[in-house]
Coordinates of all heavy atoms in Angstrom, one line a residue:
R367 N 41.6 42.8 -28.0 CA 43.0 42.8 -27.7 C 43.3 42.8 -26.2 O 44.2 42.2 -25.7 CB 43.7 44.1 -28.3 CG 45.1 44.3 -28.0 CD 45.7 45.5 -28.7 NE 44.9 46.7 -28.3 CZ 45.3 47.4 -27.1 NH1 46.2 47.0 -26.4 NH2 44.6 48.5 -26.8
I368 N 42.4 43.5 -25.4 CA 42.6 43.5 -23.9 C 42.1 42.2 -23.3 O 42.7 41.7 -22.4 CB 41.9 44.8 -23.4 CG1 42.5 46.1 -23.9 CG2 42.0 44.8 -21.8 CD1 41.8 47.3 -23.5
G369 N 40.9 41.8 -23.7 CA 40.3 40.6 -23.0 C 40.9 39.3 -23.4 O 40.9 38.4 -22.5
G370 N 41.4 39.2 -24.6 CA 42.0 37.9 -25.0 C 41.0 37.0 -25.8 O 39.9 37.3 -26.0
E371 N 41.6 36.0 -26.4 CA 40.9 35.1 -27.3 C 41.1 33.6 -26.8 O 42.2 33.2 -26.5 CB 41.3 35.3 -28.7 CG 40.6 34.5 -29.7 CD 41.1 34.8 -31.1 OE1 41.9 35.8 -31.3 OE2 40.8 34.0 -32.1
L372 N 40.0 32.9 -26.7 CA 39.9 31.5 -26.3 C 39.3 30.6 -27.3 O 38.2 30.9 -27.7 CB 39.2 31.4 -24.9 CG 39.1 30.0 -24.3 CD1 40.4 29.3 -24.0 CD2 38.2 30.1 -23.0
H373 N 40.0 29.5 -27.5 CA 39.5 28.4 -28.4 C 39.3 27.1 -27.6 O 40.3 26.8 -26.9 CB 40.4 28.2 -29.6 CG 40.4 29.3 -30.6 ND1 39.6 29.3 -31.7 CD2 41.1 30.4 -30.6 CE1 39.9 30.3 -32.4 NE2 40.8 31.1 -31.7
D374 N 38.2 26.5 -27.7 CA 38.0 25.2 -27.1 C 37.6 24.1 -28.1 O 36.9 24.4 -29.0 CB 36.8 25.2 -26.0 CG 37.3 25.8 -24.7 OD1 38.5 26.2 -24.6 OD2 36.5 25.9 -23.8
V375 N 38.1 22.9 -27.9 CA 37.6 21.7 -28.6 C 37.2 20.7 -27.6 O 38.1 20.4 -26.7 CB 38.8 21.2 -29.6 CG1 38.2 19.9 -30.3 CG2 39.1 22.2 -30.7
S376 N 36.0 20.2 -27.7 CA 35.5 19.3 -26.7 C 35.0 17.9 -27.3 O 34.5 18.0 -28.5 CB 34.4 19.9 -25.9 OG 34.7 21.0 -25.3
L377 N 35.3 16.9 -26.6 CA 34.8 15.6 -27.0 C 34.0 15.0 -25.9 O 34.4 15.2 -24.8 CB 35.9 14.6 -27.4 CG 37.0 15.0 -28.4 CD1 38.1 14.0 -28.5 CD2 36.3 15.1 -29.8
G378 N 32.8 14.5 -26.3 CA 32.0 14.0 -25.2 C 31.4 12.6 -25.5 O 31.2 12.2 -26.6
L379 N 31.2 11.9 -24.4 CA 30.6 10.5 -24.5 C 29.6 10.4 -23.4 O 29.9 10.6 -22.1 CB 31.7 9.4 -24.2 CG 31.1 8.0 -24.4 CD1 30.6 7.7 -25.8 CD2 32.2 7.0 -24.1
N380 N 28.4 10.2 -23.7 CA 27.2 10.2 -22.7 C 26.6 8.7 -22.7 O 26.3 8.2 -23.7 CB 26.2 11.2 -23.0 CG 26.7 12.6 -23.0 OD1 27.6 12.9 -22.2 ND2 26.2 13.4 -23.9
W381 N 26.3 8.3 -21.5 CA 25.6 7.0 -21.4 C 24.3 7.3 -20.7 O 24.2 7.7 -19.5 CB 26.4 6.0 -20.5 CG 25.8 4.7 -20.3 CD1 24.7 4.2 -21.0 CD2 26.1 3.7 -19.3 NE1 24.4 2.9 -20.5 CE2 25.3 2.6 -19.4 CE3 27.2 3.7 -18.3 CZ2 25.3 1.5 -18.6 CZ3 27.2 2.6 -17.5 CH2 26.3 1.5 -17.7
Y382 N 23.2 7.1 -21.4 CA 21.8 7.3 -20.8 C 21.3 6.0 -20.3 O 20.9 5.2 -21.0 CB 20.9 7.9 -21.9 CG 21.3 9.2 -22.5 CD1 22.2 9.3 -23.5 CD2 20.7 10.4 -21.9 CE1 22.6 10.5 -24.0 CE2 21.2 11.6 -22.4 CZ 22.1 11.7 -23.5 OH 22.4 12.9 -24.0
L383 N 21.4 5.8 -18.9 CA 20.9 4.6 -18.3 C 19.4 4.4 -18.5 O 18.9 3.3 -18.7 CB 21.3 4.5 -16.9 CG 22.8 4.3 -16.6 CD1 23.6 5.5 -16.7 CD2 22.9 3.7 -15.2
N384 N 18.7 5.5 -18.3 CA 17.2 5.6 -18.5 C 16.9 7.0 -18.7 O 17.7 7.9 -18.7 CB 16.5 4.9 -17.3 CG 16.9 5.6 -16.0 OD1 16.8 6.8 -15.9 ND2 17.4 4.7 -15.1
P385 N 15.6 7.4 -18.9 CA 15.2 8.8 -19.2 C 15.6 9.7 -18.0 O 15.6 10.9 -18.2 CB 13.7 8.7 -19.3 CG 13.4 7.3 -19.8 CD 14.4 6.5 -19.1
N386 N 15.9 9.2 -16.8 CA 16.2 10.0 -15.7 C 17.7 10.0 -15.2 O 18.0 10.8 -14.3 CB 15.3 9.7 -14.5 CG 13.8 9.8 -14.8 OD1 13.2 8.8 -15.1 ND2 13.3 11.0 -14.9
A387 N 18.5 9.2 -15.8 CA 19.9 9.1 -15.3 C 20.9 9.0 -16.4 O 20.6 8.3 -17.4 CB 20.0 7.9 -14.3
R388 N 22.0 9.6 -16.3 CA 23.0 9.5 -17.3 C 24.4 9.7 -16.7 O 24.5 10.4 -15.6 CB 22.9 10.4 -18.5 CG 23.1 11.9 -18.2 CD 23.0 12.7 -19.5 NE 23.0 14.1 -19.3 CZ 23.1 15.1 -20.2 NH1 23.3 14.7 -21.4 NH2 23.0 16.4 -19.9
L389 N 25.4 9.2 -17.3 CA 26.8 9.4 -16.9 C 27.5 10.1 -18.1 O 27.3 9.7 -19.3 CB 27.5 8.0 -16.7 CG 26.9 7.3 -15.5 CD1 27.7 5.9 -15.4 CD2 27.0 8.0 -14.2
M390 N 28.3 11.1 -17.8 CA 28.9 11.9 -18.9 C 30.4 12.0 -18.7 O 30.9 12.0 -17.6 CB 28.3 13.3 -18.8 CG 26.8 13.5 -18.8 SD 26.2 15.1 -18.6 CE 26.7 15.8 -20.2
L391 N 31.2 11.9 -19.8 CA 32.6 12.0 -19.8 C 33.0 13.0 -20.9 O 32.7 12.7 -22.1 CB 33.3 10.6 -20.0 CG 34.8 10.6 -20.1 CD1 35.4 11.1 -18.7 CD2 35.3 9.3 -20.4
D392 N 33.8 14.1 -20.6 CA 34.2 15.0 -21.6 C 35.7 15.3 -21.5 O 36.3 15.2 -20.4 CB 33.5 16.5 -21.3 CG 32.0 16.5 -21.6 OD1 31.5 15.5 -22.0 OD2 31.4 17.6 -21.5
Y393 N 36.3 15.5 -22.7 CA 37.6 16.0 -22.8 C 37.6 17.3 -23.4 O 36.9 17.5 -24.4 CB 38.5 15.0 -23.6 CG 39.8 15.8 -24.1 CD1 40.8 15.9 -23.2 CD2 39.9 16.1 -25.4 CE1 42.0 16.6 -23.7 CE2 41.0 16.8 -25.9 CZ 42.1 17.0 -25.0 OH 43.2 17.6 -25.4
V394 N 38.2 18.3 -22.8 CA 38.2 19.7 -23.3 C 39.7 20.1 -23.5 O 40.5 20.1 -22.6 CB 37.6 20.7 -22.3 CG1 37.5 22.1 -22.8 CG2 36.1 20.2 -22.0
Y395 N 40.0 20.6 -24.7 CA 41.2 21.3 -25.0 C 41.0 22.7 -25.1 O 40.2 23.2 -25.9 CB 41.8 20.7 -26.3 CG 43.0 21.5 -26.8 CD1 44.2 21.4 -26.3 CD2 42.8 22.4 -27.9 CE1 45.3 22.2 -26.8 CE2 43.8 23.2 -28.4 CZ 45.1 23.1 -27.9 OH 46.1 23.8 -28.3
G396 N 41.7 23.5 -24.3 CA 41.5 25.0 -24.3 C 42.9 25.6 -24.6 O 43.9 25.3 -24.1
N397 N 42.8 26.6 -25.6 CA 43.9 27.3 -26.0 C 43.7 28.8 -26.0 O 42.7 29.3 -26.5 CB 44.3 26.9 -27.4 CG 45.5 27.6 -27.9 OD1 45.5 28.8 -28.4 ND2 46.7 26.9 -27.9
V398 N 44.6 29.6 -25.2 CA 44.5 31.0 -25.2 C 45.5 31.6 -26.1 O 46.7 31.3 -26.0 CB 44.8 31.6 -23.7 CG1 44.7 33.0 -23.7 CG2 43.8 30.9 -22.7
T399 N 45.0 32.4 -27.1 CA 45.9 32.9 -28.1 C 47.0 33.8 -27.5 O 46.7 34.6 -26.7 CB 45.1 33.8 -29.2 OG1 44.1 33.0 -29.8 CG2 46.0 34.3 -30.2
G400 N 48.2 33.5 -27.8 CA 49.4 34.2 -27.3 C 49.8 33.8 -25.9 O 50.7 34.4 -25.3
S401 N 49.2 32.8 -25.3 CA 49.5 32.3 -24.0 C 49.8 30.8 -24.0 O 50.9 30.4 -24.5 CB 48.4 32.6 -23.0 OG 48.7 32.3 -21.7
G402 N 48.9 30.0 -23.5 CA 49.2 28.6 -23.4 C 48.0 27.8 -23.6 O 47.0 28.3 -24.1
E403 N 48.0 26.6 -23.1 CA 46.9 25.6 -23.4 C 46.7 24.7 -22.2 O 47.6 24.6 -21.3 CB 47.2 24.8 -24.6 CG 48.4 24.0 -24.6 CD 48.7 23.3 -25.9 OE1 48.5 23.9 -27.0 OE2 49.2 22.1 -25.9
T404 N 45.5 24.1 -22.1 CA 45.2 23.2 -21.0 C 44.4 22.1 -21.6 O 43.7 22.2 -22.5 CB 44.4 23.9 -19.9 OG1 44.2 23.0 -18.8 CG2 43.1 24.4 -20.4
N405 N 44.5 20.9 -20.9 CA 43.8 19.7 -21.2 C 43.0 19.3 -20.0 O 43.6 19.1 -19.0 CB 44.7 18.6 -21.7 CG 45.5 18.9 -23.0 OD1 45.0 18.7 -24.1 ND2 46.6 19.5 -22.9

Side-chain angles (χ1 to χ4, degrees):
R367 181 179 57 86
I368 297 175
E371 184 176 347
L372 175 62
H373 291 264
D374 277 4
V375 176
S376 301
L377 303 176
L379 182 65
N380 298 325
W381 179 19
Y382 298 85
L383 287 78
N384 54 56
N386 300 102
R388 68 171 170 173
L389 301 177
M390 309 176 69
L391 179 65
D392 286 2
Y393 162 74
V394 180
Y395 166 78
N397 180 280
V398 181
T399 301
S401 182
E403 59 189 40
T404 185
N405 294 271

